[in-house]
Amino acid sequence: IEPYLAEYKFTKNSIKFAESKHSLKKHELGWTINSSTEPSGILNLIYKKRTENSFFTFNDDIFKTIEYSFINYKSDKTKKVITRSSNNGLVSTINDITKKEHSKEYLIDRLVAQLFGYKFINLDNIQVVDKGRERNYSFKQIANENIPTILGDSTRTIVVQKNIIGSKRKTLTWYAVEYNYLPVKIEQYRLSKLKFSAHIINYTKN
C-alpha cells in the first residue's frame, strides 16, 4: 500500500455524469481514504456533492476501521452517516438521530472493502458496514487483462468481481498490478445491465 492521489470520470451510456477525487494517505496512527464526488451538467440541479472518508489501520494484513463518514448533499436534503470504533466494535449514527451498534464481526467499512477488494479474493463472507448497514460481500478474481489507461497503453490488471449477498448489484474493478493494485476502471451492474463505468483520468504518487 502506497499513498497516492487519483481522479476518476464516471459515465453512463457514454455520457459523463460525475468526477471523483481520491487520496490515500499514511499517518502516524494509520491510513485515511478521502473521496469527493461532484456531478456534471444538469445533475448539478439535483445532486450537489458526496464525500466519503475512512480512517483505518492495516496491521499483519488485517484491516480495521477507526472512523468512517458518508455525506450526500442533495438540493433538498442531506444524508449523513458516521461510523466510529467503540468498545472493539463499530457504532453508526445516521443523520445525527438513529444510532446502531454493529455486531463485533463487522470491522471494516465499504470504502476500505472497495479500494482493497483484491485483498479479499476468494473469501466467501466479508462483513462490512455499508453506510450504516451490515452487509456481507464476496470477492473473486475473474480475469487478467491488459487495458489502455493513463498509466500506459497496455496496463496489466486483475479484474475482481464484488457481490453483495442478497443484492442484485455487482461491481467489477480493474486493479493495476504494477501500481500497487490501484483501481483504474470500475463497472457496476444491476443483474446483467451496466449501470455506470468509472475510469481513472489522473494519478500522482502522494
Side-chain angles (χ1 to χ4, degrees), residues 65-123:
T65 294
I66 304 302
E67 182 171 310
Y68 163 87
S69 67
F70 173 88
I71 305 177
N72 193 17
Y73 302 91
K74 291 187 179 181
S75 58
D76 58 342
K77 61 181 179 180
T78 299
K79 180 178 181 180
K80 177 181 177 183
V81 180
I82 305 294
T83 301
R84 292 189 174 96
S85 176
S86 176
N87 297 324
N88 296 318
L90 294 175
V91 177
S92 292
T93 304
I94 302 170
N95 292 336
D96 298 318
I97 299 173
T98 305
K99 191 172 183 180
K100 181 176 181 180
E101 186 173 337
H102 299 289
S103 303
K104 298 295 185 182
E105 297 83 8
Y106 290 80
L107 295 177
I108 63 171
D109 61 81
R110 77 181 204 121
L111 197 55
V112 168
Q114 179 63 45
L115 187 63
F116 301 105
Y118 62 92
K119 292 280 192 180
F120 306 112
I121 291 173
N122 298 324
L123 298 178

Side-chain angles (χ1 to χ4, degrees), residues 164-175:
I164 302 175
I165 309 303
S167 172
K168 296 178 181 178
R169 296 181 184 272
K170 69 178 179 182
T171 303
L172 303 184
T173 303
W174 282 252
Y175 295 97

Side-chain angles (χ1 to χ4, degrees), residues 135-151:
R135 309 195 80 166
N136 293 359
Y137 290 8
S138 67
F139 295 86
K140 64 178 178 179
Q141 183 178 341
I142 60 172
N144 295 281
E145 289 186 5
N146 293 347
I147 63 172
T149 72
I150 62 165
L151 306 175

